[in-house]
Amino acid sequence: MNRRPALPFLAFAAALATLPAGCGRQDAPPPTAIDATTAARDDELARIQAEPGEVRRLQLLAGWVRDHTVDEIAAALHDANPAQHGELVWLLQLKLRDQNPGADEQTLSKLLGRLLHRPDESISGHDPDGETRGLLELAEKSPDEALRRLVDTPMHPNKRNDVRNRILGRLAGTDPRRALALLDATVGDRRDGLIAIARGWGRADARAALDWAAGLPASEYNRALTGIIFEEWSGQDPGAVVEHISKLPVTAESRERFVDLIGNWLRQDPDESAKWIQARTDLDPLVAQAAIETLTSTHPALVARLLADSTDETQLRRHGSRLAADWARVDPAAARAWIQQLPPSNASYGIMQAFARNLAHQDLPAALAFFDSLPDHLDTGSIAADIAGAFPTGQEALRWLLARPDSDSNRRAVTAAIGRMEFARPADMLTLLGQLPPGPRQLPVYQATAIAWLREDPAAAAKWIGGLQDPEALDAVLKVTRSSWADRDPASLGALLASVDKDERFREHAGRFVSDWSQDDPVAASDWVGQNPTLPLREDEIRRLFENVARHAPDSVERQISALPADSLLHQTALYGAIREISKTSPERAAALFTAHAGRKERRPLIDNVTLPWAKVDPDAAIAWTTSQPVSSTRDAGFEGVIHSLTPTDPHRALSLAEMASTPAARENLIGTAFYVWARHDRTAALAALDQIDISAERRERIRASLNRR
């Protein structure tokens, strides 16, 4: 049923009443008087439905619906002429909308569904399923009679439409022309009937059905019928339909349908579809792609040929590894021959790795032989690591790996192999070191030992790691244990890092350790930094540490700062981080911290970290505090911070602060700062005010030139 606009029912009925009585048909008879109080409901509706003029019939139907309840209308639907079902249901929807103002579509649909649903026993005790079977059986002998009886059989309109379509669809399999003729003579949704006929005809004689569909007027719906016929044909004989479409003129529509159908065929019957593809020399690239994506596990040799024919190198990168893995399971010799003729590339290396990994788990000797055949110039460490994972035990994998050339990937594989080995005690792993020459080959053994030992006995492991004399070994161990060690016992790790702080290679370890520790316990981390002030930490690591202290433990900030060497870069950076964090919430406390702890050399670089954020929230207090500082370059720097924050909202007051500068040169610098900030917000006003300011001509022109460049 087509959805019509949601016009209120009473308004719609009134509009219909104003239409001329004869506008539906010129020869329409005069309206029949309908007395709802005296005429039976069914007779009344029957007379209305017999009205030949469409507009007049709608007028009468609207009046009839207005005078009856929704239950009476729903009951009448089951006995009404099926041709008028759509009109009655539509009018019933409008009436429900009027009776339920504000109800959404879902609610209205539920109300309509409950009204239209009638239990089987309510219709004179008949059996609708039995009647449906009877009608379908009758249709086998006389579809005309079955359709005539269907009209008089009481059932839901949707059910009646469905039964009609099933009769037409069955008939289309033997006599499609007769099915089309009966469609035109029956009531119900024509489109549904055409779809049923297209399906039945497509299953029985798809080529004839396609010829019929081709003769229909061009439309989206009729093109859909063609697709339905192809779909039914594909279910019967996918090879025939693909062959048929491949001979049609190529259009965007036919090509898309061709690719869809052959994709289904590839999945349903890979053997037959593969034969068809192998026989073609002009394969569509989209079909080739579908075959590559579908046939790797069943026809890997064909997929390899298609990849070789493809000019798109991304196809090899995307599908080559999966092909190698699948092929290794069914025909490793053929897969190996294909791989060995591939040109060197990142894609071919990934293919080798996938092949070796899968082959190793089903035939380890064959995988080892393949590995030995690889070119010497190739970095085979990752391939070796994958093969090592297939050895029955870690000990066997380790022996094989230790015979391979050293590389980062080989070391990772050694670590993985050691992780699979069982030891009575982690310390027993150290006996492996005796099998290796000193140097890089020992590092993965050190790493695996430390990981296992820290897990089982952290104190003993920390003692052993701290006793390592080889800086390379210690560095390697810290790379894999620093995070877990810091979680278990940061103090012991800190003690170790403090003892090796003169070695530059451990600076990175110390910095990351401090960063991690400061997230969990910034006070303990800052205590450790204070106890080891010579640690080569970066300034940003120190700053973030003391920002965390100020954020999470503000009451301990002064104690932490006091513990640091005065006038040192460590002290200045820590104070900077603390002031920067505290000034976000309490500029007064930041100013007090500055006053109490900033040394003579630290005051000038730190003061604007107090005044700039303070002036944003309370310029009067910031100006008063800055003015109270001794006249000096430090106070000038404080005013510069105030000017940065004040200029966007009060540029003239900001300029007046320059008059308190300690020297004429400082005054001009502050004036320049004010104008640069002002120009970012209002360049025209800043340029106009520049001529009014008392400043040297040379400096004025420098400022003007700078503002004009911005």
Side-chain angles (χ1 to χ4, degrees):
M1 180 181 65
N2 294 330
R3 180 178 293 276
R4 293 180 171 89
L7 182 67
F9 175 75
L10 293 177
F12 171 75
L16 278 178
T18 64
L19 294 174
C23 66
R25 277 171 56 103
Q26 294 300 318
D27 57 349
T32 303
I34 299 175
D35 187 351
T37 61
T38 58
R41 184 200 70 200
D42 293 346
D43 291 342
E44 188 178 355
L45 187 59
R47 285 197 300 274
I48 293 172
Q49 289 181 318
E51 164 61 46
E54 182 178 4
V55 174
R56 177 59 179 163
R57 185 175 64 253
L58 277 175
Q59 287 177 324
L60 296 173
L61 275 175
W64 184 86
V65 167
R66 181 192 58 224
D67 296 334
H68 287 78
T69 67
V70 292
D71 290 318
E72 291 172 336
I73 298 167
L77 261 170
H78 292 272
D79 300 319
N81 182 349
Q84 273 84 48
H85 280 159
E87 295 170 348
L88 273 176
V89 171
W90 173 49
L91 292 169
L92 177 57
Q93 285 177 306
L94 293 178
K95 185 153 187 164
L96 284 172
R97 193 182 302 278
D98 275 359
Q99 292 181 352
N100 298 274
D104 58 24
E105 290 296 328
Q106 185 176 6
T107 301
L108 292 171
S109 296
K110 288 180 179 178
L111 290 172
L112 180 65
R114 283 197 290 268
L115 287 168
L116 295 183
H117 174 72
R118 296 183 68 188
D120 296 343
E121 59 272 14
S122 68
I123 309 178
S124 306
H126 79 292
D127 175 11
D129 291 334
E131 290 178 343
T132 298
R133 284 193 300 271
L135 289 168
L136 292 175
E137 289 171 1
L138 176 61
E140 297 292 334
K141 300 174 183 178
S142 176
D144 306 61
E145 179 62 24
L147 290 171
R148 277 194 295 273
R149 289 192 186 180
L150 176 63
V151 173
D152 298 327
T153 302
M155 61 175 61
H156 191 280
N158 292 345
K159 181 72 172 178
R160 182 179 287 109
N161 195 58
D162 177 63
V163 173
R164 182 206 65 162
N165 294 338
R166 290 169 68 181
I167 293 171
L168 293 174
R170 290 184 180 187
L171 180 59
T174 57
D175 193 345
R177 299 296 176 183
R178 188 179 177 196
L180 289 169
L182 287 175
L183 171 66
D184 292 333
T186 58
V187 295
D189 191 295
R190 178 176 174 76
R191 291 189 175 190
D192 287 349
L194 282 173
I195 290 172
I197 291 172
R199 290 196 182 281
W201 200 351
R203 284 192 294 270
D205 188 353
R207 287 184 172 87
L210 288 171
D211 290 341
W212 161 73
L216 296 174
S219 71
E220 190 68 30
Y221 177 74
N222 289 339
R223 282 194 293 272
L225 290 177
T226 301
I228 289 169
I229 296 168
F230 275 122
E231 179 185 330
E232 296 298 329
W233 190 9
S234 179
Q236 303 290 318
D237 190 351
V241 72
V242 167
E243 184 67 30
H244 176 85
I245 296 181
S246 68
K247 295 175 181 177
L248 296 176
V250 178
T251 65
E253 182 181 357
S254 68
R255 187 172 186 232
E256 181 181 358
R257 180 173 291 135
F258 181 46
V259 172
D260 288 343
L261 289 170
I262 201 167
N264 292 333
W265 190 25
L266 287 164
R267 287 185 290 273
Q268 294 170 6
D269 193 347
D271 291 337
E272 288 302 314
S273 58
K275 288 179 185 177
W276 185 86
I277 289 172
Q278 286 172 325
R280 298 195 68 85
T281 58
D282 57 342
L283 201 62
D284 186 289
L286 290 180
V287 175
Q289 180 176 332
I292 289 169
E293 292 173 350
T294 309
L295 298 178
T296 55
S297 60
T298 57
H299 295 79
L302 172 59
V303 172
R305 194 203 84 188
L306 295 175
L307 286 173
D309 293 343
S310 175
T311 58
D312 185 358
E313 293 183 3
T314 59
Q315 291 277 39
L316 185 63
R317 288 198 298 271
R318 289 175 55 199
H319 304 292
S321 295
R322 184 162 63 92
L323 170 61
D326 288 341
W327 210 351
R329 286 190 284 270
V330 296
D331 191 349
R336 178 174 172 177
W338 171 67
I339 290 170
Q340 289 176 329
Q341 55 81 39
L342 292 174
S345 67
N346 290 336
S348 63
Y349 185 87
I351 291 169
M352 292 176 192
Q353 189 171 358
F355 173 73
R357 179 171 56 249
N358 284 271
L359 182 61
H361 285 281
Q362 66 186 43
D363 189 346
L364 183 57
L368 294 174
F370 170 72
F371 183 84
D372 290 336
S373 71
L374 296 176
D376 293 336
H377 64 81
L378 202 63
D379 179 6
T380 57
S382 296
I383 299 176
D386 282 340
I387 293 176
F391 276 88
T393 66
Q395 287 87 340
E396 293 175 86
L398 183 63
R399 282 195 295 271
W400 181 73
L401 288 167
L402 293 178
R404 310 253 62 84
D406 182 41
S407 69
D408 288 341
S409 53
N410 187 272
R411 292 179 199 172
R412 290 193 295 271
V414 168
T415 301
I418 293 173
R420 295 170 55 203
M421 297 168 65
E422 295 182 2
F423 297 89
R425 295 181 301 115
D428 293 341
M429 299 173 73
L430 297 177
T431 59
L432 291 172
L433 294 172
Q435 305 174 23
L436 302 171
R441 301 303 297 271
Q442 291 184 327
L443 298 183
V445 181
Y446 277 115
Q447 289 176 320
T449 302
I451 291 170
W453 209 341
L454 274 171
R455 189 165 49 242
E456 296 191 18
D457 190 347
K463 183 177 179 181
W464 170 70
I465 296 172
L468 293 176
Q469 300 300 311
D470 181 359
E472 292 282 353
L474 180 57
D475 180 45
V477 165
L478 288 175
K479 285 178 180 177
V480 297
T481 62
R482 186 188 64 242
S483 180
S484 61
W485 190 354
D487 289 341
R488 289 186 176 93
D489 188 3
S492 65
L493 176 56
L496 172 61
L497 291 173
S499 70
V500 295
D501 69 310
K502 299 297 190 294
D503 194 320
E504 179 58 29
R505 79 185 76 198
F506 299 110
R507 194 216 64 74
E508 185 72 20
H509 292 300
R512 295 200 175 201
F513 167 63
V514 167
S515 296
D516 293 341
W517 199 2
S518 73
Q519 299 298 319
D520 298 327
D521 191 345
V523 174
S526 60
D527 281 339
W528 180 72
V529 169
Q531 294 159 10
N532 300 279
T534 60
L535 283 168
L537 299 173
R538 287 197 297 260
E539 290 183 38
D540 64 315
E541 293 164 346
I542 299 168
R543 174 182 55 76
R544 284 197 297 268
L545 167 61
F546 281 87
E547 284 178 353
N548 280 334
V549 173
R551 186 181 304 120
H552 300 294
D555 293 339
S556 68
V557 168
E558 295 209 40
R559 179 180 68 80
Q560 304 293 335
I561 297 292
S562 299
L564 302 176
D567 291 327
S568 65
L569 181 60
L570 173 61
H571 184 278
Q572 179 178 320
T573 308
L575 186 58
Y576 165 55
I579 288 173
R580 176 169 143 149
E581 182 63 29
I582 291 173
S583 65
K584 295 177 182 177
T585 55
S586 178
E588 295 87 350
R589 282 195 63 194
L593 187 64
F594 171 87
T595 301
H597 294 280
R600 182 177 58 83
K601 295 180 180 179
E602 298 169 330
R603 297 176 69 81
R604 189 176 189 284
L606 289 178
I607 191 170
D608 67 330
N609 290 285
V610 176
T611 59
L612 191 150
W614 198 354
K616 288 181 178 179
V617 296
D618 190 347
D620 292 337
I623 292 170
W625 181 82
T626 307
T627 304
S628 70
Q629 302 299 308
V631 177
S632 64
S633 60
T634 295
R635 191 175 80 158
D636 295 338
F639 278 128
E640 186 170 6
V642 174
I643 288 170
H644 266 283
S645 294
L646 186 60
T647 299
T649 57
D650 195 346
H652 295 288
R653 187 181 184 190
L655 282 169
S656 70
L657 297 178
E659 302 304 323
M660 289 188 276
S662 60
T663 65
R667 173 181 175 274
E668 291 198 349
N669 286 337
L670 292 177
I671 290 173
T673 297
F675 275 103
Y676 296 144
V677 175
W678 194 358
R680 285 201 296 268
H681 297 270
D682 189 345
R683 192 166 67 93
T684 301
L687 285 170
L690 183 59
D691 290 326
Q692 310 303 319
I693 201 76
D694 181 15
I695 195 173
S696 68
E698 179 185 357
R699 186 57 182 263
R700 189 193 317 278
E701 293 311 311
R702 284 209 307 270
I703 294 174
R704 192 191 312 279
S706 177
L707 298 188
N708 284 326
R709 287 196 300 269
R710 292 173 183 264

